[in-house]
């Protein structure tokens, strides 16, 4: 039996884009869709993975993570409310994906 690992993705609630669904890709494949405040856990093989959030015209830069066997990696997703100009000026950097911790 192959060892497994998991990535838990949490979309932080914000007042920016409250009705928008964020689609999360892991290694280029859609793995989850999240509304504000929602969490989803995706089981993956241990090792390196690439995560990206997308919604309509916006996306995040890819986040590279490494998940150990048997570990749970927690990742937060939210719009970049500190730089709202990215909503228009840098659509591919408006969403923010951040590794929070491994459990």
């Amino acid at each position: 039996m192959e060892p497994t690992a998991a990535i838990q993705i949490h979309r932080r609630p914000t007042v920016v884009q409250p009705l928008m669904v964020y689609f999360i890709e892991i290694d280029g494949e859609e793995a989850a869709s999240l509304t504000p405040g929602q969490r989803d856990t995706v089981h993956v093989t241990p090792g390196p993975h690439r995560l990206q959030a997308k919604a309509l015209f916006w996306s995040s830069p890819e986040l590279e993570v490494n998940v150990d066997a048997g570990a749970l990696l927690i990742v937060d997703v939210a719009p970049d409310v500190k730089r709202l100009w990215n909503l228009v000026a840098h659509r591919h950097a408006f969403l923010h994906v951040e590794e929070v911790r491994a459990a």
Side-chain angles (χ1 to χ4, degrees), residues 9-90:
I9 306 149
H10 174 236
R11 179 170 170 195
R12 290 181 286 177
T14 67
V15 296
V16 178
Q17 297 181 321
L19 302 176
M20 194 78 53
V21 174
Y22 288 1
F23 297 95
I24 309 303
E25 292 183 356
I26 298 178
D27 300 326
E29 299 290 327
E30 188 175 315
S33 58
L34 302 171
T35 58
Q38 190 176 16
R39 295 178 190 272
D40 197 358
T41 301
V42 179
H43 295 278
V44 296
T45 57
H49 295 281
R50 296 177 337 276
L51 281 80
Q52 186 174 32
K54 294 184 177 183
L56 287 180
F57 313 107
W58 304 281
S59 64
S60 69
E62 281 191 343
L63 173 68
E64 293 184 16
V65 298
N66 192 32
V67 189
D68 294 330
L72 173 68
L73 180 72
I74 301 173
V75 174
D76 274 353
V77 179
D80 188 355
V81 294
K82 293 179 183 176
R83 294 173 202 84
L84 281 177
W85 64 84
N86 283 340
L87 182 68
V88 176
H90 301 286

